[in-house]
């Protein structure tokens, strides 16, 4: 296990583009961290900076208490698995997995033992003599994972390592990965574009946008208390609309609705409302209380209910759920519970 500590990391590329902006982050020994964010948010840049493939323009990075600024990737005590498993097709499984040990000049007898033990650990016992072309995609990714951990790294870095796999194989390997990192007590940083995957496997999730950290929190904290509209929109599919505080109420002019200020949690100056799917409910025409009209744009089945996208005449589009599938273009009434106000 190793602690990773980044202090004020900034990465500016030669063309002037900022990849990371003043990133400070502490990852505890044995913790599994997921980095998420929209395309171009900086998550892969941060991972590659930890790995040593990118040098920060300023700031400091420590792994296990060691300053890493001038330490090359192969000297950092890390293992890394990429989206494309990148195992060598002309080498047997044994030779692929044993490559880091040969580079480290580990004696052959010890290599053989560690290769066999590691293959058993990733669920591939007895695969030493197989060639990559005879393996499935999931097996090849297991070989890549075995190669990453065979040299007993203290840190494991995963760059979209599961995204090329099909379900349910991906789900199975995801579960095995969590168990493996816990068993091996590996400090793990996992970059993924899949929000559900990040929430499912991570001890904490780091949400990035524009090269900056927007929030670091447990999955439950992210869902319950997104720190700002960016996080609410990315993690929970919130609709972000203008809002204002007037007297003892919060008003949303676009939808023509308001809520008592006493029922709303306000962060900052209260200029944005984040309407999460759970804040919107399709109701019958004759239901009491304030509702707004909307038109159903889409409805897809998700784990026991329908995820519905609907739009208001103002152009505001939001998500909600329904027990029964509404028709495309159907007119509905929506009631909104108090949203998050920023």
């Amino acid at each position: 296990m190793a602690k990773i500590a980044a202090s004020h990391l900034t990465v500016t590329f030669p063309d002037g583009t900022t990849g990371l902006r003043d990133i400070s982050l502490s990852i505890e020994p044995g913790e599994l961290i997921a980095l998420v964010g929209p395309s171009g948010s900086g998550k892969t840049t941060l991972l590659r900076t930890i790995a040593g493939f990118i040098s920060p323009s300023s700031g400091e990075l420590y792994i296990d208490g060691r300053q890493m600024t001038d330490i090359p990737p192969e000297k950092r005590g890390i293992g890394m698995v990429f989206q494309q498993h990148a195992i060598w097709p002309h080498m047997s499984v044994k030779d692929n997995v044993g490559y880091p040990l040969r580079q480290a000049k580990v004696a052959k007898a010890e290599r053989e033992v560690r290769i066999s033990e590691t293959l058993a650990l990733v669920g591939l016992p007895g695969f030493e003599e197989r060639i990559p072309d005879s393996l499935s995609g999931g097996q090849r990714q297991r070989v890549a994972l075995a190669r990453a951990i065979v040299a007993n790294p203290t840190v494991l870095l995963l760059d979209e390592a599961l995204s090329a796999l099909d379900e349910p194989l991906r789900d199975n390997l995801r579960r095995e990965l969590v168990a493996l990192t816990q068993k091996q007590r590996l400090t793990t940083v996992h970059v993924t574009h899949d929000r559900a995957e990040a929430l499912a496997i991570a001890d904490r999730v780091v949400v990035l946008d524009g090269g900056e950290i927007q929030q670091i929190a447990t999955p439950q904290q992210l869902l319950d208390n997104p720190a700002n509209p960016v996080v609410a929109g990315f993690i929970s599919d919130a609709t972000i609309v203008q809002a204002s505080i007037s007297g003892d109420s919060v008003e949303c002019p676009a939808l023509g609705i308001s809520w008592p200020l006493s029922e709303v949690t306000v962060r900052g100056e209260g200029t944005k409302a984040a309407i999460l799917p759970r804040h919107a409910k399709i109701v019958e025409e004759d239901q009491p209380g304030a509702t707004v009209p909307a038109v159903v744009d889409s409805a897809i089945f998700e784990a026991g209910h329908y995820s519905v996208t609907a739009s208001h005449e103002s152009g505001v589009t939001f998500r909600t759920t329904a027990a029964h599938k509404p028709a495309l273009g159907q007119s509905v009434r929506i009631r909104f519970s108090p949203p998050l106000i920023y």
Side-chain angles (χ1 to χ4, degrees):
M1 293 192 298
K3 181 172 182 174
I4 301 173
S7 177
H8 302 290
L9 285 182
T10 293
V11 171
T12 303
F13 294 112
D15 64 358
T17 303
T18 299
L20 297 176
R21 193 187 310 272
D22 197 30
I23 295 288
S24 293
L25 171 67
S26 180
I27 302 173
E28 295 304 313
E31 191 173 23
L32 197 164
I33 290 287
L35 306 181
V36 298
S39 178
S41 62
K43 55 187 184 292
T44 298
T45 300
L46 177 54
L47 187 83
R48 293 176 67 83
T49 301
I50 294 172
F53 300 137
I54 294 175
S55 297
S57 307
S58 61
E60 296 180 324
L61 176 71
Y62 292 85
I63 298 178
D64 206 17
R66 296 172 59 211
Q67 164 65 270
M68 289 289 118
T69 303
D70 298 318
I71 306 298
E74 66 273 15
K75 301 292 186 182
R76 295 194 177 197
I78 62 173
M80 191 161 184
V81 184
F82 300 91
Q83 177 180 357
Q84 300 301 329
H85 35 75
I87 61 175
W88 293 290
H90 62 287
M91 289 186 181
S92 67
V93 167
K94 178 175 68 176
D95 289 341
N96 265 283
V97 174
Y99 182 81
L101 301 179
R102 291 198 304 277
Q103 293 296 103
K105 296 182 170 52
V106 174
K108 182 178 179 181
E110 184 181 348
R111 281 206 315 265
E112 299 282 341
V113 171
R114 287 170 64 176
I115 291 168
S116 294
E117 289 177 345
T118 305
L119 285 173
L121 193 63
V122 299
L124 295 177
F127 274 62
E128 286 86 348
E129 303 305 325
R130 296 278 293 272
I131 60 172
D133 281 350
S134 71
L135 305 178
S136 68
Q139 289 170 335
R140 287 194 292 270
Q141 198 65 324
R142 282 184 172 88
V143 172
L145 182 57
R147 186 176 60 192
I149 66 174
V150 72
N152 297 324
T154 56
V155 173
L156 179 63
L157 305 181
L158 305 169
D159 189 6
E160 300 278 10
L162 306 180
S163 61
L165 303 176
D166 295 329
E167 296 287 0
L169 172 62
R170 182 175 176 179
D171 181 65
N172 291 338
L173 195 53
R174 184 187 297 144
R175 294 169 187 272
E176 292 170 11
L177 177 64
V178 172
L180 174 66
T181 56
Q182 292 175 347
K183 186 183 300 182
Q184 297 297 104
R185 298 169 65 82
L186 281 169
T187 304
T188 305
V189 184
H190 177 40
V191 164
T192 178
H193 66 273
D194 187 328
R195 298 168 299 175
E197 180 171 283
L199 296 172
I201 72 173
D203 296 313
R204 288 189 297 157
V205 179
V206 179
V207 183
L208 294 107
D209 187 62
E212 298 180 327
I213 291 177
Q214 303 296 318
Q215 187 172 3
I216 307 172
T218 67
Q220 194 63 56
Q221 289 169 340
L222 276 184
L223 293 173
D224 293 343
N225 296 295
N228 55 43
V230 170
V231 178
F234 182 78
I235 294 294
S236 298
D237 294 317
T239 294
I240 311 300
V241 294
Q242 288 295 128
S244 62
I245 298 177
S246 179
D248 60 357
S249 68
V250 176
E251 300 178 352
C252 180
L255 297 174
I257 51 178
S258 63
W259 301 273
L261 185 58
S262 60
E263 297 181 7
V264 173
T265 299
V266 180
R267 300 176 174 87
E269 298 180 359
T271 59
K272 301 276 189 184
I275 302 174
L276 276 62
R278 67 172 183 263
H279 295 143
K281 183 179 180 182
I282 297 176
V283 297
E284 300 294 334
E285 288 278 353
D286 57 354
Q287 286 279 317
T291 62
V292 300
V295 175
V296 173
D297 295 324
S298 68
I300 60 174
F301 188 73
E302 288 183 351
H305 64 263
Y306 288 91
S307 174
V308 179
T309 302
S311 56
H312 182 254
E313 59 187 9
S314 64
V316 175
T317 299
F318 46 85
R319 290 192 184 184
T320 183
T321 59
H324 304 286
K325 186 176 183 179
L328 185 67
Q330 179 180 339
S331 295
V332 294
R333 304 290 300 187
I334 306 290
R335 176 180 293 129
F336 295 99
S337 59
L340 304 175
I341 304 297
Y342 299 94

